[in-house]
Each structure stands twice: as C-alpha cells, then as structure tokens.
Amino acid sequence: MPQNKKQNLQDMTILESLFNPKKIPEDAKPVLEEFDSIIQGILPLNSKQLSKLPDDIRELSHQLTDERSTRKMSYMNSKIFLSAYARYFMWWNLIRLVKLFSNISFSDVDFQNGDSCLDIGSGPLTVVTALWLSHPELRSKKITWYCLDISKEALTLGENLFLSVAARTMSDTEEEINWKIIKVKGSLGTSIKEKAKFVTCANMFNEAFQSQTNPLEFLAKKYFADLKHYAKEDSFYLVIEPGVPRSARFISCLRDCFIRGGLEIKAPCCHKESCPMDGRLLKGPHVKNPNSKTGKWCNFAFNTEDAPAKLKKLSTDAKLTKTRAVLSFIFAGSAHSSQTESAVDAGSKTPRNAGKICLRIASDPIRLYDKTGFYACSGKGLVLFIPKKGKPVFSGDLIELDIADKKIRTDLKTGASIIEQ
C-alpha cells in the first residue's frame, strides 16, 4: 500500500502520492543515473555497436508495438535486441518501478527469512532489481526469488545485472547478497518447486493476451487462477502493466477477481466498490444511463524531467522522446491483518469520515477554460475534481476532501460528479 504522508491544504488533504521522488533511497539514485555503465560492464558493446544502438532500439520498439503480430516470441534471445531492451526499455522500466515501489509500503507482506517469491515474465529481472533498490529494509531478508521467463539469455543477463546492482548497494555489515535468484525457463503455467508468498509480474500479460481473441473478463479469470496456483494461502500479488486502455481494462478485470477471491486491494484503489474507470462503462448509483460510455481507464503518470540525461538523449537519438512515464497496476493480498492503514481503509465510509470523500487522481491535468481538472476514482464513482488555483495536485495522489454542504454537479459528458475545492 502507498506510504502515508499527509499534507493539509485547508479543506483538501493529500494523504499520499505514488511518485514522490523524495522517497527514492539515496543509494538507488546513482544506480539509476549510471545504469548504462553497469550494463556496459556486463554486456559490452564496441563503438560501432553503440553508434547503431538507437536504430536497434527503434526497430525493437516497432516489434513491440505496431509489428507485434509478426514478432517472434524468442526476440529476447537475440543479442542485439536483448542489448537494446536492457539499455533502453529496462532502464525506463526501472525509472518507473523504482519511483512507484519507493512510494508503496510492502509491510503487510511481512517478509521473513526463508520466504519464496515468484516473478513471472521476469525478463532481465527488472521487478526484482527495482524492489531491491526501492526498499533497503528488505535487503537483509533471506529471500528466494524464482524468476520465470521463456528467454534463458534474458534471465542470465538479469541475474548478472541484479548481482552487480546489489553489490553496489549492500550495507557495510552484510558479507553476502541475501536474495537468492533461481532462474526458471518457461512460461506462465510452468511448475515451481515452492509456493510463493509474493507473486509479481510486469508488462507480462500485455504480451500474453496480444494474440488472444477471448474477452478480457475471461482472460482475467483464467490468469487469476494461474497466479493463485503459484501462491501460498494469505499471499500477495503485484501486477504492473502499460498504462494503455486495453491493459488498464485488464487490470480492472483482475481487480474484480481479487476482490471476489477474498483479497484486499492494497493499492491504488481507495474503495471496494465497482471500478468507475474500468475503460468500458461508468458504474455507480448516480448514473442515470447505465449504458453511457466514458472511455476512462485507470492509469498513472509522471513527467520524466528528472530522468537521467543520458537516457533522455538515447531516447531522442532513437526518435522515441519520452516526456512522461505511464503505468497501470494493482497490489492485492490477504485481508486478515494489516500493519498499516490502507488506501481502502482511508477512504472507507466510517463516522470519522462523515462528510468527506477520498479520491485517487488518475489522469493528467485537463484544461477547463480558466480552470484545471482531473479525473479521479472514488467509492461514489467517477469524479471530475477541480482544485483551486495554487493547490498542487498530481497523478496518483490520494486526496481527502470535505464535501459537507457542498453542491455536487454532474458532468453531462461522462456522468462524473464534479467537485470543486
């Protein structure tokens, strides 16, 4: 669940943020800044190969997007594409995930020595590396990570990168790296020796369902069963996907499966009701036309102005300039015990919150003539939130508002409740 840091702005309270850069551990920052040097020490390129790198990145980008239907599933076994992936896509993914993970508390998982975890579609171990960098308190735990991927080459590179990163960030009191990596070549469904306490995957289902014709609701139920098969009782799940409509819709369907399976949504949701940003239909008791389509999907973004200069230059050279990083995600787990208040708890309808509402900002700023608004998720459905000038609001913020005695209008276009504060 996201880490709480309340900021009171009169009748608006920012309970937490998803992308606060100040949360990133100090020893993680030089690793992110110089990640290309770490790769070069493990998978070196000569000057001619480095000069061709932007073209290789652009070609791989085409294969991952508009040419994905003809792309070979073994593309990560190509040394050229693996190098391009690590030097560009993995680097950007680390920027995204380290910032996100640094703002999420995993205290409810209650990692213990001897725990086993599973990362599915692990590739070059991006999730595992990001978790190590973002949570120094977990580095002393003796955890076994099963890393599952169809590419042996990607797993081998990922293990070497992880070990190099871990060696750079070990505490002076540690004599060895406590996390054990077990590489498993295979796809979703491949058997693992131990049940996992924590199951993760990033940008995996996006590739898994690209050739599927079944509805996303069906696929979410199927993949939830697959995830559950790997997990112990009272386990936790973290799924991150690209912040595009189809992936966000899948995350929303997976959320429904988690809730029906008796799990608690730790983040990013601030309620347990139907998702009002499911990419398909607007839901909620306030909707007069239940068939009205909004097209709003749950995704979170941050600008990339503080990204490493070398990574931004490489992006420009590859003609893939990136000004914002976007993702959709869900973190769910056992509802039996919580060590800290979750976003769902913070937004629950309890007497102490009478007259108040919690919103999770889930859009970029929207220009509304002389004002700026944001679409947000709430237990009362979709909200168009319009803060007063001078009140900074960002994608991913969890906000508590005092709406007692306020007149709430309805947006005719989307059916969203309009709240000005």
Side-chain angles (χ1 to χ4, degrees):
M1 63 191 63
Q3 299 176 352
N4 294 339
K5 186 176 182 181
K6 294 187 179 181
Q7 180 181 355
N8 293 305
L9 298 172
Q10 295 179 355
D11 48 2
M12 179 181 87
T13 302
I14 299 177
L15 299 176
E16 61 194 28
S17 299
L18 290 180
F19 303 118
N20 182 356
K22 294 180 181 179
K23 293 279 190 176
I24 298 175
E26 286 301 317
D27 63 356
K29 295 176 182 178
V31 172
L32 295 176
E33 194 70 28
E34 301 294 333
F35 190 65
D36 59 329
S37 299
I38 298 175
I39 300 174
Q40 182 66 5
I42 294 171
L43 189 65
L45 297 181
N46 59 38
S47 57
K48 183 177 180 180
Q49 291 170 325
L50 285 171
S51 66
K52 191 174 178 295
L53 181 60
D55 293 333
D56 294 337
I57 291 170
R58 189 163 58 252
E59 172 59 27
L60 179 55
S61 176
H62 283 305
Q63 294 211 21
L64 292 172
T65 53
D66 50 295
E67 296 175 5
R68 64 169 54 187
S69 60
T70 59
R71 186 192 72 221
K72 294 181 179 180
M73 291 300 292
S74 59
Y75 71 97
M76 288 284 268
N77 291 332
S78 162
K79 184 177 180 180
I80 291 176
F81 283 156
L82 182 57
S83 173
Y85 185 91
R87 285 175 159 85
Y88 178 80
F89 295 96
M90 181 181 181
W91 198 356
W92 271 120
N93 285 335
L94 281 177
I95 297 297
R96 288 185 184 93
L97 297 186
V98 170
K99 184 170 282 191
L100 175 66
F101 292 175
S102 296
N103 285 274
I104 294 179
S105 169
F106 294 105
S107 60
D108 277 1
V109 182
D110 192 24
F111 288 101
Q112 299 294 323
N113 290 333
D115 281 342
S116 295
C117 303
L118 170 64
D119 184 39
I120 307 173
S122 195
L125 277 64
T126 310
V127 170
V128 178
T129 303
L131 191 61
W132 173 279
L133 286 172
S134 57
H135 283 273
E137 77 280 3
L138 298 180
R139 299 173 191 170
S140 62
K141 302 293 184 182
K142 295 186 181 298
I143 298 172
T144 297
W145 276 95
Y146 288 90
C147 298
L148 175 64
D149 198 90
I150 61 174
S151 172
K152 180 181 178 181
E153 287 76 8
L155 289 171
T156 299
L157 173 61
E159 181 180 32
N160 290 331
L161 288 171
F162 168 75
L163 292 175
S164 179
V165 167
R168 290 169 180 245
T169 51
M170 285 175 60
S171 69
D172 295 335
T173 60
E174 297 290 341
E175 295 181 356
E176 61 181 15
I177 298 168
N178 290 310
W179 291 12
K180 180 182 179 181
I181 304 298
I182 297 180
K183 305 187 297 294
V184 182
K185 185 178 185 299
S187 56
L188 183 65
T190 299
S191 62
I192 303 296
K193 289 183 179 180
E194 299 180 77
K195 293 290 186 179
K197 184 175 186 177
F198 190 40
V199 179
T200 66
C201 51
N203 303 328
M204 193 273 291
F205 290 116
N206 175 54
E207 294 200 13
F209 60 59
Q210 62 182 295
S211 59
Q212 296 277 353
T213 57
N214 290 314
L216 289 180
E217 294 90 340
F218 171 84
L219 294 176
K221 292 177 182 177
K222 174 185 180 300
Y223 291 139
F224 171 62
D226 291 335
L227 294 177
K228 193 174 181 181
H229 176 74
Y230 283 118
K232 292 181 177 180
E233 291 291 331
D234 299 335
S235 289
F236 293 78
Y237 305 84
L238 177 63
V239 180
I240 307 105
E241 290 292 320
V244 297
R246 183 171 170 81
S247 293
R249 169 70 184 147
F250 172 79
I251 289 288
S252 179
C253 293
L254 192 60
R255 173 187 183 271
D256 289 343
C257 293
F258 284 143
I259 293 175
R260 289 171 185 167
L263 300 175
E264 180 179 88
I265 306 302
K266 306 295 182 177
C269 308
C270 59
H271 62 89
K272 305 172 186 177
E273 311 303 324
S274 297
C275 177
M277 302 188 76
D278 64 359
R280 186 184 61 172
L281 297 177
L282 182 64
K283 300 176 181 178
H286 62 289
V287 181
K288 295 180 180 179
N289 179 6
N291 295 316
S292 61
K293 294 182 180 294
T294 68
K296 305 304 176 191
W297 66 93
C298 181
N299 66 100
F300 306 98
F302 61 90
N303 69 57
T304 59
E305 61 184 14
D306 60 349
K310 288 186 290 184
L311 177 56
K312 290 192 288 186
K313 182 180 185 304
L314 181 59
S315 301
T316 301
D317 292 344
K319 297 181 173 60
L320 295 170
T321 302
K322 192 183 297 292
T323 59
R324 56 200 291 273
V326 191
L327 55 81
S328 296
F329 79 100
I330 192 82
F331 173 36
S334 170
H336 296 321
S337 63
S338 293
Q339 296 185 22
T340 56
E341 182 184 57
S342 69
V344 174
D345 294 329
S348 63
K349 300 172 184 177
T350 60
R352 69 181 180 85
N353 279 322
K356 295 185 178 183
I357 186 174
C358 278
L359 313 176
R360 176 73 77 179
I361 304 299
S363 81
D364 287 328
I366 304 165
R367 292 296 178 187
L368 303 169
Y369 300 102
D370 61 335
K371 299 178 181 178
T372 300
F374 300 84
Y375 282 112
C377 175
S378 82
K380 294 186 177 181
L382 185 68
V383 170
L384 176 57
F385 175 53
I386 306 174
K388 292 180 181 178
K389 290 183 178 180
K391 292 187 176 181
V393 173
F394 300 96
S395 175
D397 286 353
L398 180 67
I399 297 173
E400 184 178 68
L401 301 175
D402 186 348
I403 58 171
D405 302 322
K406 283 189 176 292
K407 182 178 180 180
I408 298 178
R409 296 175 289 126
T410 299
D411 179 36
L412 297 179
K413 180 180 178 181
T414 64
S417 298
I418 301 175
I419 300 178
E420 292 194 53
Q421 200 76 308

